Amino acid sequence: MGVDFDWVILGILAAFIAYSLLTKAVDRSLLTLPIIFMGVGYLVSDPLRAAAPPEILSEGKRLLAEFTLVLVLFADASHVRFSQLKQNWQLPGRMLLIGLPLSLIFGTLAVYLISPEGGIAMALLTAALLSPTDAALGQAVVSSPDVPERLSETINVESGLNDGLVLPVVLLGAILASAGVSDANTDGLAIAALIQIVLGPLAGIAVGWSVARLLDLAQTRQLIAESAEGVVFVATAFAAYVFAEVIGGNGFIAAFVGGMVFGNTYRHHIRFIREFMDGAGQLLTMTSFLVFGALLLPDGIEHATASAVIIAVLFLTVVRMAAIWLSLLGTGLKIKEKLFLGWFGPRGLASILFTLIIMDEYVFANADELLACVSMTVAFSILAHGLSSTPLARRIGKT
C-alpha cells in the first residue's frame, strides 16, 4: 500500500503546530527544538522517501540548504559589532583566531590517523565541516541568566562568526578531495576557487554597505513602513548571494561579509533581523533539523562504522576542548570556565547545510564515510549538548 505524500506533509505540519503551542513547556524541559525535529524527521523518513520521488527530495533539500544558509550567515554576521569586539575581543578573538585553526589542525590529524585511506584532503574537509558551532543547540546557555555574561557573549560571538570563517577551508578541502577522484574535471578549479574567495567578500561589502545606507535614508525621511524592514533584510541577503554568483564570487561568503557590513553600517535599531529569525527563521530551523533526521541521519547510520563514531566523539570532546583550552591560556579564566567554553561548541546547522551543498557540487571517493562522520557528530551533539545545556548553565552560575 502506497503512502500519500499529502498525509506525510500534514503530519509534519502538525508537529510544527504542536511544538509552537508548547514552546514554553518545552523550554522548561530537557528537550530542545533540534532534538524534537531530528526525532520527527527520523520517524517520517521511510514514509517520506516512499511518498516523494527521489529527485524532488534531492532538489528540495538542496534548495532548503541554500536558502537557510544564506539567511543564517547574513543574520549571524549582522549582529557582530566591531565596536563591541574592540572592547570584549579577547575571549572570542582567541577562540576564533587560535582555537578555530587548532581545531582544524587537530581534527585533520585525528581523521587522517583513524581513517588514512581517505587521504589528507578528505581529512581536512571532514575537519572543516565539523568545526563550525551552532548556538541554537545551546540556546539555554546563551540566554540563561545563570551564565556569566562574558561566557555567554563569547559563545554567541564565536558561533556567529566561525561558520563564515571556516567556509573558505570547506571549499578548499572539497576542491582538494574531489581532485583525487579519477573522473573529476579539475582544470582551472584552483583559480576559480581563488576568484570565488576574492570576489565573494567584495560583492558582500558592496551590497551590504549600499543597502544599509539606503535603509538609513529611508528611515530618516520616514519613507519605509516598519513591516517592510524584514523584506529589506531578506532581499539584501539574497542580493549579496546572487550578485557574487553573477560576478564569479562565492555567494555564501558574500552573504556572511554582507551581513557584517550591513550590521555595522546601519545606524538605526536592527531588531527586524532578530524578529524575522525568531519567527520565519525558526520555521527554517525546524525544517532543517527535520530534513537532517529524515534524509541525512538514516543514510549516515547505514554507513556508520566504528571509525565514524570515534571521529564524532573526538570532535565533540578532545579535538574541540583541547583547541579551546590552548587558545584560552593566559586569560585568567578558571579551569571550569575553560572546560565550559570548550564543551559548548555544538555542531548543527552549519555542518548540515555545508555537507548538503558540498556533496551536491563535488564528487568524492569516500562520500559515504564523510556523510556518516557528519551525521554521527551532529546527532551526538544534538543529544549531548541539548540535554546538558540547562543543567550545566545552572551549575556554572552557582559556582
Side-chain angles (χ1 to χ4, degrees):
M1 182 178 178
V3 180
D4 192 325
F5 184 69
D6 291 338
W7 281 106
V8 177
I9 296 301
L10 186 60
I12 292 173
L13 294 175
F16 287 168
I17 294 171
Y19 172 83
S20 300
L21 292 174
L22 300 172
T23 45
K24 288 189 176 181
V26 171
D27 288 343
R28 292 192 293 268
S29 72
L30 291 178
L31 294 177
T32 62
L33 182 153
I35 291 177
I36 292 171
F37 284 96
M38 179 182 69
V40 171
Y42 192 75
L43 289 175
V44 303
S45 176
D46 288 339
L48 185 62
R49 291 170 186 260
E55 59 273 13
I56 291 181
L57 293 179
S58 178
E59 289 297 323
K61 69 181 182 182
R62 169 62 189 267
L63 182 62
L64 172 68
E66 290 187 342
F67 189 87
T68 306
L69 188 55
V70 169
L71 291 182
V72 167
L73 289 171
F74 190 95
D76 284 352
S78 69
H79 292 300
V80 176
R81 293 290 173 271
F82 296 148
S83 58
Q84 293 177 353
L85 284 179
K86 289 179 182 178
Q87 298 175 358
N88 305 301
W89 64 271
Q90 289 90 347
L91 295 183
R94 281 172 167 263
M95 291 171 68
L96 289 168
L97 299 179
I98 301 175
L100 181 57
L102 286 177
S103 294
L104 291 170
I105 294 171
F106 294 164
T108 301
L109 291 175
V111 175
Y112 184 71
L113 291 175
I114 295 171
S115 185
E117 64 276 4
I120 194 70
M122 202 64 173
L124 174 63
L125 175 59
T126 304
L129 289 172
L130 295 179
S131 292
T133 59
D134 183 1
L137 294 182
Q139 191 59 39
V141 171
V142 175
S143 59
S144 173
D146 295 323
V147 178
E149 185 177 353
R150 63 174 178 168
L151 298 184
S152 60
E153 182 181 348
T154 297
I155 294 172
N156 205 27
V157 172
E158 185 208 10
S159 63
L161 287 177
N162 61 11
D163 46 5
L165 295 177
V166 83
L167 182 53
V169 186
V170 172
L171 296 175
L172 174 63
I175 291 168
L176 294 176
S178 64
V181 180
S182 58
D183 59 348
N185 181 13
T186 59
D187 293 341
L189 204 55
I191 295 177
L194 181 61
I195 292 174
Q196 282 193 351
I197 294 173
V198 171
L199 294 182
L202 295 179
I205 292 171
V207 173
W209 183 86
S210 58
V211 176
R213 297 307 301 269
L214 289 173
L215 183 57
D216 274 329
L217 180 63
Q219 287 197 323
T220 300
R221 299 189 177 184
Q222 298 184 346
L223 300 175
I224 183 171
E226 186 174 342
S227 59
E229 294 171 349
V231 177
V232 174
F233 151 60
V234 175
T236 305
F238 284 101
Y241 175 86
V242 174
F243 181 48
E245 294 291 324
V246 167
I247 65 175
N250 183 273
F252 298 111
I253 296 177
F256 178 75
V257 175
M260 194 177 300
V261 172
F262 181 92
N264 285 275
T265 304
Y266 182 60
R267 297 175 181 175
H268 292 76
H269 200 287
I270 204 168
R271 65 182 182 279
F272 54 86
I273 293 184
R274 188 176 299 278
E275 290 172 354
F276 179 90
M277 296 304 292
D278 286 344
Q282 189 175 52
L283 183 61
L284 288 174
T285 302
M286 294 178 189
T287 307
S288 297
F289 282 109
L290 187 142
V291 167
F292 168 72
L295 303 181
L296 268 72
L297 184 58
D299 290 340
I301 293 175
E302 180 182 350
H303 297 103
T305 61
S307 297
V309 174
I310 292 172
I311 289 171
V313 173
L314 285 177
F315 266 90
L316 295 178
T317 54
V318 177
V319 171
R320 157 80 184 183
M321 297 180 77
I324 296 303
W325 179 281
L326 291 174
S327 72
L328 295 176
L329 289 176
T331 58
L333 288 178
K334 299 177 182 177
I335 293 177
K336 56 179 171 287
E337 292 175 322
K338 294 177 184 176
L339 293 175
F340 185 81
L341 291 175
W343 169 245
F344 278 107
R347 307 326 194 268
L349 277 182
S351 296
I352 296 170
L353 301 176
F354 285 160
T355 302
L356 281 173
I357 292 167
I358 289 299
M359 292 188 69
D360 193 62
E361 290 190 359
Y362 297 90
V363 178
F364 308 115
N366 300 83
D368 291 340
E369 290 81 355
L370 177 66
L371 178 61
C373 287
V374 174
S375 298
M376 292 297 96
T377 306
V378 173
F380 290 164
S381 181
I382 288 173
L383 294 172
H385 290 107
L387 295 175
S388 66
S389 57
T390 299
L392 290 183
R394 292 171 180 167
R395 184 175 180 83
I396 197 71
K398 291 179 180 178
T399 56

